[in-house]
Amino acid sequence: MAKSAAAADKRKTSGDKAPAGSTDITMAGAEILLKTLEDEGVEVIFGYPGGAVLPIYDALFKNNQIRHILVRHEQAAVHAAEGYARSTGKVGVVLVTSGPGATNAVTGLTDALMDSVPVVCLTGQVPTHLIGNDAFQEADTTGITRACTKHNYLVKDGRVLQQTVAEAFHVARSGRPGPVLIDLPKDILMGEYAYQSAGVTEVAQARYRPSTKPDAEAIKAAVAIMKRAERPVIYGGGGIVNSGPRASALLQQLVEMTGWPTTLTLMGLGALPASHDKFLGMLGMHGTYEANLAMHGCDVMLNIGARFDDRVTGRISGFSPKSTKIHCDIDPSSVNKNVAVDLAIIGDATIILEMLIDEMKRQSFAPHKPSLVKWWGMIKGWQKRDCLAFDQSGDIIKPQHAIKRLCELTTKHDVYVTTEVGQHQMWAAQYFGFEQPNRWMTSGGLGTMGYGLPAALGVQVAHPDALVIDIAGEASFMMNMQELSTLAQYNLPVKMFIINNEWMGMVRQWQELIHGGRYSESYSASLPDFTKLADTFGMKGLVAKKLGDLDDVIHEMLAAPGPVIADIRVAKEENCFPMIPSGAAHNEMLMGPEDQAEKPISEEGMVLV
Amino acid sequence: MTNSDVIERHIISVLVDNEPGVLARVIGLFSGRGYNIESLTVAEVDSQKHLSRISIVTLGTPMVIEQIKSQLARLVPIHSVCDLTEMGASIERELALVKIINSGDDRIEALRIADTFRARTLDSTLESFVFEITGTSSKVAAFIDLMQSLGEVEISRTGVSAISRGNRIDLSAK
């Protein structure tokens, strides 16, 4: 089917329709690339050089507009771009070389795809005449990344380079955001082509036009359902955060108009302030008792920008059995994928919320007071259970306590938090309250250990004066700790707060739960002395070994001007609760170690991840 | 949305930009998400706009069929997705080339059946024929079944190509 020359001709024709007054300037492909990045508003790229991308690095050398951050591994470049993107709402940009450069980026790209993060990844490629010859550092990059990008391109004709780059940015940021990859053969980067100074926006946006405005009838139908609600719940997700800060403000307005209990997914934390009295906390596998029971017992569920992920729903057959479900999502393929819903509203969260609020006002919506009071009565009863309580007695630091104190001591700061993956991540989600969107960067869908440090790096680049904390586990931290060198090079004052229990804690927890406590290969042996590690990179290293050290270490960490590694030695055997064990429903939560003994996991549940 | 577990056969017609990798994207989507492909045909249908039509025959529950369509519609080079089965009256055709090697009465019978099925004879030797047959997949399958009982058979099938009846145009470039 390959008809690249023909396709190129077609685009050239459409490109020729540039507005009058535009001038074409001839320049090298690498320069066209950087010029187009500037046109797209790119200020910083995260990358690592290599043979195939040398022309781009040469052009960067002469460029004064775009800042390049040199990472120490290509996976980290993508996570850094994700951190940059998620904390700013802009597109993150990655530049890596062919072959190993591209394959190393795959984990990051998959992560960005799963969490809908707008990233453009530029990969070098061997020259077009060598493609397919198993040339040095050749990999079938578009083939490898087809399943882990929203879209990808191999530029085989320099005449379409500018348009391809512009389209890539459009695709990455429009609709449901995601990673887009452009594979750039070296001869294309060195060849001379025309750059259209008037831009190519029109052509670049012509073929990808996702709908963002919802159907007005669906909005009316939603309000009709909402009017009948007696036990409602709002279930918000990352789509609200991705839509921009206005969506979060509108969500709060909706919550205050309705007085409805509201829960957020891991990706949605911050969309409603954690301190809001209608907020029930996070839901799902390690969500709160009240959030999960409200989901289970509700009669109307309003899902805004969440995708009924398996971490959220638990066993589908037992998921919120009695509710009428309204699902607002920008991606039609998220509807009826895991859970069959009663009403789908396709569009951007901001526009949906605006229209919904307008329609509610038009229909003079008023919540059903007596039943809502009764419903809140039930929820308050569940809240009394205090499901996040933990026992901080004795001198050993409980991990929950460490994160709670970190949150309490940083409320006055302009704080951004990233995490790695595992128990510490769930504790951070449970105990660190987020008051604003775009403040919480965590690997939700893919669950990528090693995400937090490079993501924090990217956040700090975007917000040089902010307090950026990577809440890490010691095992995850080791997965991308080469980036300490990057932090040192650019003096990025990231605070690495390592919840060190000397275990791959979540692995250990599952082994305890379903594999009879046979802790196969989950012990973090041969750990470095983190304070000395910090020292070798010229950073501050701190350690808290007992409860009395904790606050001092946090204060000292916050006071230090540069990067800090804080090694927080916590209780080793602590598990993360509440927990919906795999294969169970929202009303079958384990609240603590006692429950764990009483409620064995089903055979069906054991095979689930 | 019904939660039916009944497996349905659907013909989905997709208009795509004829560019490198587009077929791999479609096939990768089906294999990556565990959907079935019964048959898939593809060819350029508009040489000016460089558009190709892909006709896919697939099996799945109503929920899976919905997923397939919305997942396809998400791909950037795909212009439109049309479920011909759901839209009602449509025509499907498949072409098969069937080579049969036999002799004696079986050879005469093969020729007679070919005539009944309106298959054309494209090639003949003293011990073989190559027939061309066009029709729905079930007609083609019935013909192949009969041929297989009459000798040694080799088959090449195109897979289903389909279009809706009437004066409606279902697929157009965005």
Side-chain angles (χ1 to χ4, degrees), chain A residues 1 3-4 6-7 10-11 146 151-152 167 171 176 207-208 331-333 335-341, chain B residues 1 3 17-25 33 42 44 49-50 52 63 67 70-71 74 76-77 174:
Chain A
M1 323 253 306
K3 290 259 172 71
S4 61
K10 170 184 103 179
R11 296 208 187 152
R146 201 169 282 131
H151 192 56
N152 63 16
E167 185 177 284
V171 171
R176 180 177 179 175
R207 85 173 169 149
Y208 182 68
D331 179 2
S333 76
V335 174
N336 294 323
K337 182 172 69 180
N338 300 334
V339 171
V341 297
Chain B
M1 187 72 208
N3 249 331
D17 281 327
N18 184 5
E19 63 179 25
V22 66
L23 186 58
R25 264 177 231 290
R33 293 188 181 267
V42 54
E44 190 171 74
K49 292 182 184 157
H50 305 288
S52 289
M63 210 156 153
Q67 265 296 297
S70 45
Q71 291 289 352
R74 216 148 82 108
V76 173
K174 290 185 267 207

Side-chain angles (χ1 to χ4, degrees), chain B residues 2-17:
Chain B
T2 51
N3 249 331
S4 165
D5 289 333
V6 182
I7 303 283
E8 296 174 358
R9 174 180 182 269
H10 281 242
I11 304 176
I12 297 170
S13 188
V14 192
L15 201 65
V16 304
D17 281 327

Side-chain angles (χ1 to χ4, degrees), chain A residues 78-360:
Chain A
V78 188
H79 292 325
E82 285 186 272
Y84 178 90
R86 287 176 66 170
S87 64
T88 60
K90 298 178 193 167
V91 179
V93 183
V94 177
L95 169 58
V96 297
T97 194
S98 64
T103 55
N104 276 346
V106 164
T107 301
L109 293 170
T110 314
D111 191 272
L113 184 71
M114 292 287 269
D115 285 349
S116 309
V117 185
V119 167
V120 168
C121 178
L122 310 164
T123 53
Q125 183 55 279
V126 300
T128 43
H129 69 273
L130 285 180
I131 290 178
N133 283 21
D134 297 328
F136 176 64
Q137 291 197 330
E138 181 186 356
D140 176 9
T141 302
T142 48
I144 290 168
T145 60
R146 201 169 282 131
C148 65
T149 52
K150 185 176 174 187
H151 192 56
N152 63 16
Y153 305 86
L154 169 61
V155 182
K156 284 173 120 175
D157 182 340
R159 291 172 299 175
V160 299
L161 176 62
Q162 184 184 3
Q163 186 185 321
T164 303
V165 175
E167 185 177 284
F169 276 83
H170 171 66
V171 171
R173 66 163 82 94
S174 310
R176 180 177 179 175
V180 177
L181 180 141
I182 313 173
D183 204 20
L184 300 158
K186 196 171 182 181
D187 55 327
I188 301 291
L189 295 171
M190 301 190 79
E192 300 264 324
Y193 310 96
Y195 166 80
Q196 294 175 31
S197 52
V200 289
T201 317
E202 204 181 312
V203 195
Q205 297 186 356
R207 85 173 169 149
Y208 182 68
R209 293 178 187 276
S211 63
T212 53
K213 194 167 180 289
D215 178 15
E217 290 307 311
I219 297 282
K220 277 188 193 148
V223 176
I225 294 170
M226 289 167 70
K227 275 179 161 173
R228 294 197 303 268
E230 294 183 354
R231 299 184 314 279
V233 72
I234 297 173
Y235 151 43
I240 300 172
V241 178
N242 267 341
S243 181
R246 185 161 154 69
S248 297
L250 288 164
L251 174 71
Q252 187 167 345
Q253 195 184 333
L254 177 75
V255 171
E256 279 156 17
M257 272 174 84
T258 56
W260 287 7
T262 302
T263 178
L264 294 169
T265 66
L266 181 73
M267 301 301 294
L269 294 179
L272 186 70
S275 57
H276 200 284
D277 65 337
K278 301 292 183 283
F279 183 51
L280 305 182
M282 181 176 78
L283 81 166
M285 185 171 270
H286 294 291
T288 63
Y289 186 63
E290 50 270 30
N292 286 336
L293 287 192
M295 287 290 279
H296 189 79
C298 69
D299 71 338
V300 168
M301 178 190 297
L302 177 60
N303 169 348
I304 305 165
R307 62 180 174 94
F308 294 108
D309 179 80
D310 58 60
R311 293 300 95 163
V312 157
T313 62
R315 178 161 45 82
I316 295 281
S317 60
F319 175 70
S320 192
K322 295 191 187 92
S323 62
T324 303
K325 298 175 185 73
I326 305 170
H327 186 182
C328 310
D329 205 299
I330 199 161
D331 179 2
S333 76
S334 285
V335 174
N336 294 323
K337 182 172 69 180
N338 300 334
V339 171
V341 297
D342 302 278
L343 176 67
I345 304 177
I346 303 301
D348 181 78
T350 306
I351 307 176
I352 290 176
L353 283 163
E354 273 172 355
M355 287 176 66
L356 202 58
I357 289 168
D358 283 352
E359 183 62 27
M360 285 163 68

